[in-house]
Amino acid sequence: MPSDLMAAARRYEVKDNEVLSALNFIEDVRDHYSTISRSKEDLDHMKSVAHEVTQYHHHMVGSEDVFRVRRVCAGMVLNAMNFVGKGI
């Protein structure tokens, strides 16, 4: 997915479907995380965490699980970018 579409955030604001919005975010972050982190451990962790919910429609995963994983993925991105150390 082109990064300009990610930046526009259209996929993350699906009308009337916050779960789909969260799943889109998780999938995109998972797919592009290697551009932020080169650590095999971090990459494996991202894949593992994202995998928990990417099969949402096929397994008994609750919406709260999806929202939790979205927060974990966002935190992993901020951590990989050293957001706290560098600040805004």
Side-chain angles (χ1 to χ4, degrees):
M1 153 168 280
S3 59
D4 58 332
L5 288 178
M6 287 180 70
R10 291 182 199 108
R11 287 176 41 87
Y12 318 128
E13 297 175 359
V14 178
K15 186 176 180 174
D16 299 326
N17 196 335
E18 190 171 344
V19 171
L20 181 57
S21 296
L23 288 168
N24 287 341
F25 176 82
I26 293 165
E27 289 174 355
D28 289 349
V29 167
R30 177 201 61 206
D31 293 346
H32 292 87
Y33 190 64
S34 64
T35 64
I36 298 168
S37 177
R38 301 281 190 246
S39 162
K40 180 174 176 7
E41 183 179 326
D42 287 349
L43 294 171
D44 289 345
H45 184 63
M46 175 62 76
K47 288 178 188 174
S48 174
V49 168
H51 184 72
E52 286 183 42
V53 297
T54 52
Q55 302 300 317
Y56 176 78
H57 298 291
H58 303 291
H59 299 298
M60 298 301 294
V61 176
S63 59
E64 288 306 313
D65 292 321
V66 173
F67 301 144
R68 177 186 56 79
V69 169
R70 176 178 57 184
R71 291 188 300 273
V72 169
C73 290
M76 289 179 69
V77 167
L78 293 172
N79 188 53
M81 293 171 54
N82 194 22
F83 183 78
V84 173
K86 292 180 181 177
I88 299 177

